[in-house]
Amino acid sequence: MSTSAITEAAPLSLCAREPHVPADRLVAEMVPPPRFDAVRFDTYIPDPNQPSQTQAVEVLASFAAGLGGAHATGAGRRRWFQKKPPAPAAPRGVYLDGGYGVGKTHLLASLWHATPAEPSLKAFGTFVELTNLVGALGFQQTVATLSGHRLLCIDEFELDDPGDTVLVSTLLGKLVDAGVALAATSNTLPGKLGEGRFAAADFLREIQGLSAHFRPLRIDGEDYRHRGLPEAPAPYADEQVTRAAHATPGASLDDFPSLLAHLARVHPSRYGALTDDLRAVCLTGVTPVPDQSTALRLVVLADRLYDREVPVLASGLPFDELFSDEMLNGGYRKKYFRAISRLTALARDAKGLVAQ
């Protein structure tokens, strides 16, 4: 490739972006991300060796159909004036309990799509995005904004930050009182697979006052991102990554340590906007992440890239060496395992960007 060609097709840089995201955009973007925009229950392919996957589809489809009636707020209030105590109501929430890559987000997005309500009456976001929304709008305004919804879906409910968990649990309590149906997912830790409802027990304990509103659904299986698929490609040379970035319209090119430093200057709520219109992310010099704060920011970026199906081409160390053993065995390990799984999938998607 000639020098002039490289100059004419200069790639973008994530480090040059400092997006501002107004609060109304955060609300408007509470829909399934592009990766899950077209998924439906009938596009979910259950593992024939895991009957819990088929059962989950059936239960969730029935749950969605049951959300087609009028908003429950008025009905809930009328109960105070009834002489007879009402019969116990069916759970107004479902919790998808399972390991990595069993399709929980696919099913959660399918539930959102199948619920018979206008998109403006349904909300979908990760736990981190929900806490960011509270930070942007304030607690009371977030309650007011979401109280009129038919359904709130929360992906990757986090149990490792007590403060955030209490905040979101309190928020969900207000929304349940307003008649909003809830659905959530989280991950069973890799070291806890096979121990029954470990993740469900954790989840229900952390949201003590809401436990009765959730029906746990166990989804067993292996990570589909690696089921029968080739291993992720080994890291490329710096020169290969640089040439691919120049040859790919809409690609970004950044030095990995510089990107990590830049993420510290951008609030995680803006990482989605940071990736706007990107066709690929090219990174040179991938090294181990130096500390936990940096690692947690990288996890959020990995989630946004995965949601938006942005391939990641990299040189340096492979992604399964990003996090130290101490991190992988610590309190945030489920986040790091998820990031490794998703970055590996994106690295596989990027393989075609390199000229053979």
Side-chain angles (χ1 to χ4, degrees), residues 1-298:
M1 181 179 295
S2 68
T3 302
S4 60
I6 289 178
T7 302
E8 292 171 2
L12 305 169
S13 170
L14 290 173
C15 292
R17 295 183 165 195
E18 296 185 10
H20 170 70
V21 183
D24 57 354
R25 172 173 169 173
L26 295 177
V27 177
E29 290 185 343
M30 291 195 74
V31 298
R35 179 176 289 272
F36 299 99
D37 184 53
V39 303
R40 300 294 186 273
F41 288 130
D42 58 6
T43 65
Y44 180 77
I45 304 175
D47 185 337
N49 297 317
Q50 303 292 347
S52 62
Q53 296 187 7
T54 299
Q55 180 187 24
V57 173
E58 295 170 351
V59 171
L60 290 171
S62 176
F63 183 75
L67 298 179
H71 194 267
T73 306
R77 288 176 179 164
R78 282 195 296 274
R79 292 184 188 133
W80 293 103
F81 303 101
Q82 293 176 348
K83 294 183 179 179
K84 291 183 179 180
R92 290 280 296 173
V94 290
Y95 168 70
L96 308 185
D97 168 28
Y100 300 87
V102 295
K104 299 188 303 299
T105 303
H106 183 136
L107 291 172
L108 190 68
S110 298
L111 172 64
W112 188 93
H113 288 298
T115 297
E118 292 295 320
S120 61
L121 296 179
K122 302 181 287 187
F124 184 107
T126 65
F127 181 90
V128 171
E129 288 171 324
L130 188 59
T131 58
N132 288 338
L133 183 66
V134 175
L137 297 183
F139 184 84
Q140 295 300 334
Q141 185 59 41
T142 302
V143 172
T145 299
L146 298 179
S147 287
H149 283 56
R150 190 75 48 81
L151 172 70
L152 171 62
C153 296
I154 308 169
D155 200 21
E156 306 292 357
F157 198 104
E158 305 289 5
L159 302 175
D160 44 32
D161 187 313
D164 283 347
T165 302
V166 170
L167 172 69
V168 173
S169 295
T170 305
L171 170 65
L172 297 186
K174 298 288 187 182
L175 297 181
V176 166
D177 289 344
V180 181
L182 306 174
T185 75
S186 188
N187 283 321
T188 300
L189 300 177
K192 297 294 183 178
L193 292 175
E195 295 188 11
R197 298 188 183 280
F198 172 86
D202 266 9
F203 176 81
L204 295 175
R205 184 186 68 247
E206 295 292 341
I207 58 167
Q208 300 168 19
L210 296 171
S211 296
H213 295 286
F214 281 88
R215 172 180 177 175
L217 288 178
R218 176 74 186 181
I219 306 175
D220 300 297
E222 61 178 310
D223 189 338
Y224 81 91
R225 286 182 283 268
H226 308 301
R227 189 194 306 163
L229 294 173
E231 291 296 318
Y236 295 95
D238 286 353
E239 294 79 4
Q240 290 176 295
V241 173
T242 300
R243 287 190 173 277
H246 283 87
T248 305
S252 65
L253 176 62
D254 292 279
D255 170 68
F256 186 68
S258 298
L259 176 60
L260 294 184
H262 183 63
L263 292 179
R265 298 188 289 270
V266 179
H267 192 274
S269 66
R270 303 177 183 178
Y271 287 6
L274 194 68
T275 67
D276 280 351
D277 304 319
L278 283 186
R279 294 276 303 278
V281 166
C282 298
L283 301 172
T284 57
V286 171
T287 59
V289 180
D291 59 77
Q292 193 131 261
S293 295
T294 303
L296 291 173
R297 288 191 287 267
L298 180 60

